[in-house]
């Protein structure tokens, strides 16, 4: 019985007739595997660098800034002995909110008494001299009505010109620096790295005929690049080739293209007229 025909035990072990071990001619071996070439390794380096950049971005602390969300301003003359006020109604939530009052006073000693009635009691800043800059942390006093008093009752004769700018701020988180680093990692490292890995990864077939080794790699347009006994041929094949191999050059290697699908090309490897493998 021919040794080329597998035994029933080989068929059972493989689990399928399609996976029956390939029987090669004597002295011939054929194998295929994926290999990463220079372009792919450059992509791997970019991807590794991207992990460090992403780690750096993850460790970055966000910046915080006060964003104005409401604003009011007014100028008026406050007479001697007068007290003037205005009010704000602050609703939920008030966490990380700040109320800022900027006051300019012209007249007399350019001074004015300022106090604020909050939902938790009065905050009295006393008599202040222009320019006046006050900040009230709303998260400390909670939501409700805030009345701001401008008191010139201590002045007996002098009127004063008062200009007020009141602003409510909310504390915001700024992650633009972190997002920028993530953007660089993804669009300038990971994506180019994946493209390079895809472009530089090729399936390589190795055909061993006695002492001769033929390596075949698919390149652009499904052409075939051959390396024979470590020497790379200059020509990239797009046509059938046939050459002698083996210790006494008495073996015939034939590599021919074959259509795979309607727009792709594969290659079949023959030794002494027997098919030993295909690529891809």
């Amino acid at each position: 019985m021919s040794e080329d025909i597998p035994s029933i035990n080989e068929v059972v072990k493989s689990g399928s007739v399609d996976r029956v071990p390939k029987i090669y001619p004597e002295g011939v071996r054929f194998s295929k595997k994926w290999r990463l070439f220079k372009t792919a390794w450059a992509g791997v380096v970019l991807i590794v660098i991207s992990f460090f950049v992403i780690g750096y971005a993850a460790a970055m602390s966000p910046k915080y800034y006060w964003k104005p969300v409401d604003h009011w301003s007014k100028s008026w003359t406050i007479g001697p002995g007068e007290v003037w006020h205005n009010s704000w109604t602050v609703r939920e939530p008030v966490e990380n909110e700040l109320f800022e009052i900027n006051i300019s006073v012209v007249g007399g000693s350019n001074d004015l008494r300022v106090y604020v009635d909050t939902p938790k009691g009065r905050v009295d800043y006393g008599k202040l001299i222009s320019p006046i800059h006050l900040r009230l942390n709303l998260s400390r006093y909670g939501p409700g009505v805030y009345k701001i008093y401008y008191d010139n009752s201590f002045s007996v004769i002098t009127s004063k010109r008062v200009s007020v700018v009141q602003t409510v701020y909310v504390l915001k988180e700024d992650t633009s620096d972190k997002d920028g680093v993530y953007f660089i990692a993804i669009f300038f490292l990971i994506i180019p790295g994946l493209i390079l890995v895809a472009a530089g990864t090729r399936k390589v077939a190795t055909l061993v005929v006695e002492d001769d080794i033929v390596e075949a790699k698919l390149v652009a347009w499904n052409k075939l690049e051959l390396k024979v006994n470590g020497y790379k041929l200059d020509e990239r094949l797009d046509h059938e080739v046939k050459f002698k191999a083996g210790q006494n050059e008495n073996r015939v290697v034939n590599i021919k293209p074959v259509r795979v699908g309607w727009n792709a090309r594969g290659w079949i490897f023959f030794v002494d007229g027997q098919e030993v493998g295909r690529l891809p």
Side-chain angles (χ1 to χ4, degrees), residues 211-228:
D211 293 336
D212 291 327
I213 301 175
V214 179
E215 292 182 335
K217 177 178 69 174
L218 283 175
V219 292
W221 309 108
N222 283 330
K223 290 185 178 181
L224 206 61
E225 183 178 277
L226 291 184
K227 184 185 289 186
V228 179

Side-chain angles (χ1 to χ4, degrees), residues 123-145:
V123 179
D124 194 340
Y125 296 99
K127 188 190 295 185
L128 304 171
I129 297 176
S130 180
I132 301 167
H133 177 73
L134 304 174
R135 284 189 171 184
L136 195 67
N137 191 337
L138 299 181
S139 61
R140 178 182 299 178
Y141 304 101
V145 178

Side-chain angles (χ1 to χ4, degrees), residues 14-273:
S14 68
S16 168
V17 175
D18 294 334
R19 293 197 294 269
V20 173
K22 182 75 175 179
I23 304 301
Y24 296 105
E26 184 179 353
V28 176
R29 291 291 180 268
F30 183 87
S31 61
K32 293 184 294 185
K33 64 180 179 179
W34 290 99
R35 286 189 187 175
L36 272 64
F37 293 89
K38 291 181 179 179
T39 302
W41 284 114
V44 170
V45 170
L46 287 181
I47 292 172
V48 171
I49 293 174
S50 74
F51 289 138
F52 287 100
V53 174
I54 289 173
Y56 172 76
M60 292 176 65
S61 299
K63 296 179 180 178
Y64 294 91
Y65 67 99
W66 291 102
K67 179 181 179 180
V69 294
D70 205 351
H71 177 81
W72 179 88
S73 63
K74 185 178 177 65
S75 296
W76 74 97
T77 299
I78 185 170
E82 290 184 354
V83 179
W84 191 92
H85 78 275
N86 73 309
S87 62
W88 284 78
T89 299
V90 178
R91 307 184 187 281
E92 294 276 10
V94 294
E95 185 178 356
N96 296 324
E97 288 193 14
L98 186 71
F99 185 53
E100 183 181 70
I101 307 171
N102 290 292
I103 309 167
S104 175
V105 183
V106 178
S109 299
N110 298 333
D111 55 353
L112 197 68
R113 183 186 173 202
V114 181
Y115 49 91
V116 181
D117 284 345
T118 75
K120 292 186 178 180
R122 175 167 292 186
V123 179
D124 194 340
Y125 296 99
K127 188 190 295 185
L128 304 171
I129 297 176
S130 180
I132 301 167
H133 177 73
L134 304 174
R135 284 189 171 184
L136 195 67
N137 191 337
L138 299 181
S139 61
R140 178 182 299 178
Y141 304 101
V145 178
Y146 288 75
K147 289 186 178 181
I148 303 94
Y149 289 87
Y150 303 92
D151 188 342
N152 194 35
S153 62
F154 60 87
S155 179
V156 179
I157 301 174
T158 307
S159 296
K160 296 168 184 176
R161 184 68 179 172
V162 180
S163 298
V164 175
V165 177
Q166 299 175 1
T167 309
V168 176
Y169 294 88
V170 174
L171 187 63
K172 294 289 186 179
E173 185 179 83
D174 181 8
T175 60
S176 57
D177 290 345
K178 177 180 287 193
D179 294 340
V181 176
Y182 279 129
F183 179 86
I184 291 172
I186 293 172
F187 290 95
F188 291 93
L189 293 172
I190 293 180
I191 293 179
L194 291 175
I195 292 173
L196 290 175
V197 169
T201 303
R202 293 286 185 271
K203 184 173 281 189
V204 176
T206 301
L207 174 62
V208 178
V209 181
E210 297 178 358
D211 293 336
D212 291 327
I213 301 175
V214 179
E215 292 182 335
K217 177 178 69 174
L218 283 175
V219 292
W221 309 108
N222 283 330
K223 290 185 178 181
L224 206 61
E225 183 178 277
L226 291 184
K227 184 185 289 186
V228 179
N229 294 329
Y231 177 77
K232 186 172 72 173
L233 303 184
D234 294 333
E235 181 185 8
R236 291 185 171 184
L237 303 179
D238 60 359
H239 56 276
E240 180 181 356
V241 293
K242 185 180 292 186
F243 52 88
K244 294 181 180 180
Q247 291 180 343
N248 300 317
E249 294 190 348
N250 59 347
R251 314 296 294 271
V252 177
V253 176
N254 185 17
I255 306 174
K256 62 171 59 177
V258 63
R259 185 65 60 183
V260 179
W262 66 273
N263 64 342
R265 172 186 290 175
W267 296 83
I268 305 179
F269 295 76
F270 297 88
V271 176
D272 298 334

